[in-house]
């Protein structure tokens, strides 16, 4: 079987990062995520300014910048799990031009739960492991269990920016969901369960699609 090409859609906080790690561990594919790529290049000068200006406002970074990142990453990948892209229709059309997807899965989680997940999220500034102050606390407050690094809140996980990001999803990315849905290409996965429960459902869909 060739390596699966999976697109994970869902609002911020739906668990795309967690489930992408499961896909990577299971199938050995590349994790392509525009959010991480942009965070690593926040101050990169582009024709449209730096990614930081957009990210700190919870807005989308301009298409030419993210399209370029995704094209380069997919060219190098055999299989992949793509997360955080496409976020608008023009990115979705661009993606169809450069690859064939095996599965488009939407992780569905309601808004209240998303806000609780995101505002309580803490990330290790050493190794990137995610925690949650309530749902998945570290053994010692503020310290990473894995590497002893400091746990910090992402700049865009504050309540105000989280609400903006969810609004941006509803406005820009919901049409992407509709685009795949109307084409009969969308599979819905309930994202409310434990990470293991969600993974069991997603894994079944990947197996069925390849
Ligand atoms: P994420 O980690 O996926 O929530 O992304 C964090 C931020 O990076 C977003 O709020 C956007 O500012 C930017 N970003 C990530 N992916 C994209 C994309 N596909 N298109 C435009 N901006 C993006």
């Amino acid at each position: 079987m060739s390596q699966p090409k999976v697109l994970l859609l869902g609002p911020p906080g739906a668990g795309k990062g967690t489930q992408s790690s499961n896909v990577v561990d299971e199938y050995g594919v590349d994790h392509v995520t525009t959010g991480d790529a942009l965070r690593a290049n926040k101050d990169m000068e582009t024709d449209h300014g730096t990614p930081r200006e957009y990210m700190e406002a919870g807005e989308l970074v301009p298409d030419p910048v993210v399209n370029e990142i995704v094209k380069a990453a997919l060219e190098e990948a055999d299989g992949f799990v793509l997360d955080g892209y496409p976020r608008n229709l023009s990115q979705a059309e661009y993606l169809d031009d450069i690859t064939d997807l095996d599965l488009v899965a939407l992780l569905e989680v309601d808004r209240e739960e998303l806000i609780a997940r995101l505002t309580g999220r803490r990330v290790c500034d050493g190794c990137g492991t995610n925690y949650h102050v309530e749902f998945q606390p570290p053994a010692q407050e503020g310290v990473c269990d894995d590497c002893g690094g400091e746990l910090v809140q992402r700049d865009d996980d504050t309540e105000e920016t989280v609400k903006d990001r969810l609004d941006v999803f509803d406005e820009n990315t919901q049409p992407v969901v509709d685009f795949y849905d109307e084409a009969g290409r969308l599979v819905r996965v309930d994202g409310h369960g434990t990470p293991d429960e969600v993974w069991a459902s997603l894994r079944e869909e990947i197996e069925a699609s390849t």
Side-chain angles (χ1 to χ4, degrees), residues 41-120:
N41 295 286
K42 265 190 173 175
D43 295 313
M44 173 177 71
E45 288 295 342
T46 76
D47 292 347
H48 310 270
T50 64
R52 179 186 294 277
E53 297 159 30
Y54 301 91
M55 297 173 79
E56 288 184 355
E59 289 169 10
L60 295 185
V61 173
D63 292 343
V65 178
V66 281
N67 287 348
E68 193 53 43
I69 291 173
V70 170
K71 183 162 188 271
L74 297 194
E75 270 169 5
E76 284 174 15
D78 183 4
F80 57 80
V81 54
L82 182 57
D83 134 35
Y85 178 102
R87 266 181 156 92
N88 60 27
L89 268 185
S90 111
Q91 293 179 11
E93 282 159 8
Y94 181 79
L95 182 62
D96 267 349
D97 286 343
I98 61 171
T99 194
D100 291 317
L101 298 166
D102 293 312
L103 178 70
V104 181
L106 172 67
L107 293 179
E108 294 188 295
V109 177
D110 59 44
R111 189 175 171 104
E112 245 174 66
E113 167 88 12
L114 293 170
I115 292 174
R117 286 185 186 184
L118 288 167
T119 55

Side-chain angles (χ1 to χ4, degrees), residues 61-195:
V61 173
D63 292 343
V65 178
V66 281
N67 287 348
E68 193 53 43
I69 291 173
V70 170
K71 183 162 188 271
L74 297 194
E75 270 169 5
E76 284 174 15
D78 183 4
F80 57 80
V81 54
L82 182 57
D83 134 35
Y85 178 102
R87 266 181 156 92
N88 60 27
L89 268 185
S90 111
Q91 293 179 11
E93 282 159 8
Y94 181 79
L95 182 62
D96 267 349
D97 286 343
I98 61 171
T99 194
D100 291 317
L101 298 166
D102 293 312
L103 178 70
V104 181
L106 172 67
L107 293 179
E108 294 188 295
V109 177
D110 59 44
R111 189 175 171 104
E112 245 174 66
E113 167 88 12
L114 293 170
I115 292 174
R117 286 185 186 184
L118 288 167
T119 55
R121 175 163 68 181
R122 299 293 180 271
V123 185
C124 174
D125 74 354
C127 68
T129 302
N130 278 333
Y131 294 85
H132 190 282
V133 289
E134 192 184 333
F135 309 141
Q136 205 188 339
Q140 189 187 339
E141 197 185 322
V143 180
C144 179
D145 293 344
D146 289 347
C147 77
E150 188 189 352
L151 303 188
V152 296
Q153 185 173 42
R154 261 171 55 171
D155 294 342
D156 58 356
D157 277 346
T158 56
E159 184 152 353
E160 199 192 329
T161 310
V162 161
K163 288 185 174 156
D164 288 342
R165 288 163 67 202
L166 293 176
D167 290 345
V168 167
F169 179 85
D170 289 343
E171 202 176 302
N172 296 277
T173 315
Q174 189 56 43
V176 174
V177 173
D178 298 340
F179 168 83
Y180 292 114
D181 200 13
E182 281 158 19
R185 298 167 67 192
L186 188 77
V187 168
R188 293 170 191 276
V189 173
D190 183 356
H192 289 101
T194 64

Side-chain angles (χ1 to χ4, degrees), residues 193-207:
T194 64
D196 284 351
E197 286 165 350
V198 177
W199 170 232
S201 311
L202 178 62
R203 189 173 180 279
E204 248 176 57
E205 296 296 350
I206 296 173
E207 294 292 324

